[in-house]
Amino acid sequence: MISAQEFCDILADRGFTTASGVPCSHFGGPIAHLSTQPGRYVAAPNEGNALAVAAGAALGGQRAYVMLQNSGLGNLINPLTSLVMTYQLPILTFASLRGWPDPATDEPQHAVMGPATHSLLDSVGTPHYTLHAQDGTEQFTAILDAAEKDLAELRAPFVLVERGAIGKATSHSDTAPEGIAAGTAIRIVTDAAPDASVIATTGYTGRDAFAVADRPGNFYMQGSMGHASSLGLGVALTHPERTVIVLDGDGAALMHLGAMSMIGHEAPANLIHVVLDNRVHESTGGQSTTSDTTSFPEVALAAGYVGAVACESEDALRDAVLQAQAAAGPHLISVRTLPRTGAIPPRATNALSPQAIRDRFQQDLQRP
Ligand SMILES: Cc1ncc(C[n+]2csc(CCOP(=O)(O)OP(=O)(O)O)c2C)c(N)n1
């Protein structure tokens, strides 16, 4: 293992002074380390944006690198192939290896991408190296030496990073957290809408929802970060008689913010989009999102939602959910939530297979 500081310093010594990315817990250390120094890390909403930021930096004459979870390769493959490889921009990318080498030791949402990561990069013809958990600075330096040759040939090498290959660093925030506990907020929403179908975004939100308010009408969306509201739209359009609630995270909502324009345009009267805004990617270690400078209610109203409110208290949240059910939507409810404390509850897929989650959700939709 190399430490987070070593990772960043070795890259900085080679002229890679800035980075962009979307968090994976594998990169929690470097992101926390870089985030303490202004201008060294651009927190991107999705992996394609991160790569394009690095491409822009390369155009501007700077060396930047990208960090992402391999589940985000889908977001990145378009700008990789059509921008970076087409214009031959030398970018260095670090991708984690969730679901690899043995997908059975990881969560089900990584089972397809884990074993496919190396061959996916092979299929687009971009070079890649693997940083193993036991590797030290010597191996890391050798990998970077090889990657430098690719960069000199205007290629875009990837370094695939095993779990535990890079050390952790503690992230800290100067601002005191405020808001409602996430589990409490979820319970308030589901209690106020007992007949609703509920779609919970990936990460801790789905775990909390499973712990505090499991019911057959809940769909726990592990993976597909940022697509909970689009899935909710599809369900809402198919079942206009049913209230559909999306429990989103700020990081996830920002990842595919364009979904809000689609929802505003389609205007499903029965959709309530709840954003649990804790200002961080808590599920991957608490890296900041950019939600402190984005107002979800204002975005929603500008995108065509019928109603949008920010709730500061438990009573306000309860009232907002009741009112949203009484009037045609789509509605957005934004709630400031606190960082979780104590043990995080287990994932729904510890108890239910993805297929069981699908089947009971579909059966529940048939309920009169
Ligand atoms: C495409 C993609 N990129 C990255 C991840 C890794 N990931 C899982 S949960 C998560 C954070 C989600 O943040 P947010 O929506 O704010 O919810 P919170 O964790 O704060 O509850 C991230 C980055 C992922 N699952 N998918």
Side-chain angles (χ1 to χ4, degrees), residues 234-261:
V235 176
L237 292 174
T238 324
H239 283 270
E241 78 291 353
R242 179 66 66 99
T243 297
V244 177
I245 296 183
V246 174
L247 297 173
D248 220 342
D250 51 308
L254 290 166
M255 180 166 271
H256 294 297
L257 200 58
M260 289 175 65
S261 176

Side-chain angles (χ1 to χ4, degrees), residues 198-255:
V198 175
I199 289 153
T201 184
T202 192
Y204 289 174
T205 296
R207 296 166 70 150
D208 279 336
F210 183 61
V212 303
D214 181 43
R215 56 195 197 194
N218 287 2
F219 190 88
Y220 304 104
M221 202 170 167
Q222 292 184 196
S224 313
M225 182 173 163
H227 292 302
S229 62
S230 300
L231 184 79
L233 173 63
V235 176
L237 292 174
T238 324
H239 283 270
E241 78 291 353
R242 179 66 66 99
T243 297
V244 177
I245 296 183
V246 174
L247 297 173
D248 220 342
D250 51 308
L254 290 166
M255 180 166 271

Side-chain angles (χ1 to χ4, degrees), residues 22-24 47 69 71-73 75 110 201-205 223-225 248-253 255 276 278-284 287 289 340:
V22 177
C24 175
E47 291 79 0
Q69 184 171 100
S71 65
L73 282 172
N75 285 333
H110 300 292
T201 184
T202 192
Y204 289 174
T205 296
S224 313
M225 182 173 163
D248 220 342
D250 51 308
M255 180 166 271
L276 303 171
N278 56 8
R279 305 272 156 99
V280 288
H281 292 108
E282 193 175 2
S283 309
T284 48
Q287 305 85 2
T289 68
R340 278 97 171 168

